[in-house]
Amino acid sequence: MDPNRTGSTLRRYRLARQMSLRELAAGLFCDHTWVLAIEAGRRCPSNRRWVEAADQLLSAGGELISAWDADQTERARAEETMRRLERARRESEALLVAPDGVDLNDIQDDIARVARASGIEEYDKSIHHALELRAELMRRLREGAHRPDAIRDLYIALGRVCGVLAYLTLDLGQADMARTHVQASFRLADRADHDALRAWARGTQSLAFRFTKDFELARDAAIDGLRYVGSSTGTGEPRLLCGLAASTANLGDSRGALDLLEQADLAREHCGPDELEGPLFGFSPAKQLYYHGFSLMWSDDPAILKQAIKASHEAIAAWKESTSPGDEMLTYIYLATACARLGDLDSSIEAVGPILERPVTASFSWVKKRLNQLDELLLEHFPDSKNAQEARATLQSYIHAA
């Protein structure tokens, strides 16, 4: 998906015709700042006649009009997706007080497939599949289409689908929706008395709280999740300990975070397999290294920052064997952040380079959030550096184009 066909096409034809912003704006009876905002993707004209006039003035042969039409179609599809997600959120709220007594045919394979594909295939496709599964499970719940002995399986399946939606909506920056979905996931796990899903839901709640910088709530969710770990919870314990380490680090206790990460490494040595494998319901060794880099990069201690850099390099190597594009992008940003905090501007700029070479459409809310934090960090640590200023300008151009 090109997020700004209209603006990029307008700019291309304006430059090809050797027209300034003010010259084009005068010909279209508008302010040149309006044209600049369109080219930068910050605004999009709502009037098709304006686009037709611009197409004619630039002799674009209808290409600008086609670009605008494509943008409008893309925006309409995105708005429809958000409407469906909002409807799903309301249904998750209803699940919190849903009655007992439902049946379930075995659709766990479909849930596992959607979970494995989330974050890899297009978000619209993952959301569509998750919502279809959820609609069917909700139908069975409402209609009582069940065998008496199958209700526990229904709760687990529905809890997992809510978990998928929690991750997808959080990636899209919808933290409130994500928290509702994962709260429903935990409640369903509680009804099913399923420790693995309870532990997983608490870990995901911790993640959602960290997204909005509610680090004390994130810490409490992770601590509560540890109550449910045991022989049946797979990688739940190291995942929760890593989440707790991240919250602890953000609360200013890097030494405490380091201790928790060491506990997580020990926990991985004796944890069993996950019921559902994959990047969403599992917790790979690459992800655990990623958490080392993320948690330790907040420290002011040079020795700990060097550990964060080492862990991020190891995680980047590990992602080559464990596909998770979003997490891999974030690992580069964590490496850049740790280098900047250590005072190594050149290594920080080099680390973030692979991110800026990727299409903007590969970005999502976590990536933009962390790039903004890196931008602020470069300003704080290198206020008088020309190289830092240029790097910040590049970061902001990438962020605003996403």
Side-chain angles (χ1 to χ4, degrees):
M1 183 183 76
D2 183 345
N4 185 30
R5 296 180 184 86
T6 303
S8 59
T9 305
L10 182 66
R11 176 177 172 78
R12 177 160 51 82
Y13 272 98
R14 177 178 65 78
L15 294 177
R17 304 295 181 254
Q18 298 183 341
M19 294 179 68
S20 69
L21 287 167
R22 293 183 184 276
E23 288 171 339
L24 179 58
L28 296 171
F29 305 101
C30 64
D31 191 272
H32 74 282
T33 59
W34 165 249
V35 178
L36 177 61
I38 294 172
E39 288 188 353
R42 295 191 297 271
R43 303 291 296 272
C44 184
S46 58
N47 190 332
R48 197 174 194 273
R49 291 183 180 179
W50 187 93
V51 180
E52 291 170 349
D55 187 278
Q56 184 175 3
L57 182 61
L58 293 169
S59 301
E63 187 175 343
L64 182 60
I65 297 170
S66 297
W68 184 84
D69 287 341
D71 278 345
Q72 296 306 300
T73 299
E74 204 72 67
R75 285 183 171 84
R77 184 160 64 240
E79 289 172 1
E80 173 59 23
T81 295
M82 290 308 298
R83 281 193 293 270
R84 296 185 69 192
L85 287 172
E86 177 60 28
R87 185 165 61 249
R89 182 190 65 79
R90 292 195 298 268
E91 290 177 348
S92 274
E93 288 177 340
L95 274 173
L96 299 178
V97 292
D100 292 339
V102 245
D103 189 18
L104 175 68
N105 292 326
D106 188 10
I107 58 172
Q108 294 285 13
D109 287 345
D110 286 336
I111 296 171
R113 179 182 56 79
V114 173
R116 285 193 298 269
S118 63
I120 299 174
E121 67 179 9
E122 294 180 2
Y123 278 103
D124 283 354
K125 188 175 181 180
S126 291
I127 288 170
H128 176 74
H129 290 163
L131 290 176
E132 280 191 333
L133 282 169
R134 193 175 179 286
E136 172 59 14
L137 293 169
M138 288 290 293
R139 181 191 69 78
R140 296 178 187 192
L141 179 67
R142 289 176 176 141
E143 296 179 5
H146 67 90
R147 300 189 316 273
D149 60 343
I151 186 167
R152 184 173 185 269
D153 290 339
L154 173 68
Y155 285 151
I156 294 169
L158 198 48
R160 285 173 174 162
V161 172
C162 289
V164 172
L165 286 170
Y167 257 86
L168 292 172
T169 49
L170 194 60
D171 280 353
L172 293 172
Q174 304 297 318
D176 288 343
M177 284 188 184
R179 281 196 291 265
T180 299
H181 287 309
V182 76
Q183 187 182 0
S185 179
F186 180 82
R187 188 70 60 84
L188 288 160
D190 226 16
R191 290 178 179 173
D193 193 24
H194 193 275
D195 282 341
L197 186 54
R198 278 192 286 221
W200 182 90
R202 284 295 191 237
T204 307
Q205 281 182 322
S206 181
L207 179 68
F209 283 130
R210 292 199 303 275
F211 186 89
T212 52
K213 298 185 178 181
D214 295 315
F215 297 120
E216 292 184 352
L217 293 174
R219 175 198 61 199
D220 294 345
I223 290 172
D224 188 69
L226 288 168
R227 295 193 300 127
Y228 303 104
V229 300
S231 59
S232 66
T233 55
T235 58
E237 185 176 9
R239 178 175 182 257
L240 284 161
L241 286 168
C242 284
L244 182 55
S247 303
T248 300
N250 277 280
L251 289 168
D253 184 4
S254 294
R255 289 288 175 184
L258 186 58
D259 289 342
L260 288 164
L261 291 169
E262 291 174 354
Q263 291 178 43
D265 291 342
L266 291 173
R268 175 167 285 279
E269 293 178 5
H270 61 72
C271 66
D274 293 301
E275 288 186 14
L276 290 184
E277 296 181 352
L280 199 153
F281 286 107
F283 192 67
S284 68
K287 188 80 169 185
Q288 193 154 339
L289 287 167
Y290 156 104
Y291 264 93
H292 276 255
F294 168 65
S295 300
L296 300 180
M297 74 178 187
W298 304 106
S299 178
D300 293 323
D301 184 332
I304 294 180
L305 286 171
K306 289 177 182 178
Q307 290 187 57
I309 290 170
K310 179 176 181 292
S312 292
H313 278 299
E314 291 173 350
I316 288 168
W319 286 128
K320 307 304 179 186
E321 306 297 327
S322 180
T323 304
S324 184
D327 289 331
E328 185 179 359
M329 291 177 75
L330 287 168
T331 307
Y332 281 107
I333 301 172
Y334 299 158
L335 174 59
T337 300
C339 289
R341 291 179 68 85
L342 197 59
D344 188 349
L345 176 61
D346 291 342
S347 294
S348 180
I349 294 173
E350 181 183 358
V352 82
I355 303 301
L356 306 180
E357 294 171 1
R358 300 189 183 191
V360 175
T361 50
S363 181
F364 60 98
S365 61
W366 282 104
V367 171
K368 288 185 280 187
K369 190 180 185 72
R370 298 307 182 197
L371 286 175
N372 273 316
Q373 288 180 332
L374 178 60
D375 173 65
E376 294 170 1
L377 189 66
L378 293 177
L379 175 61
E380 177 187 351
H381 285 258
F382 311 99
D384 302 320
S385 167
K386 183 177 179 180
N387 288 342
Q389 291 172 8
E390 292 176 354
R392 291 182 60 232
T394 302
L395 289 178
Q396 285 302 318
S397 295
Y398 185 87
I399 292 165
H400 289 148

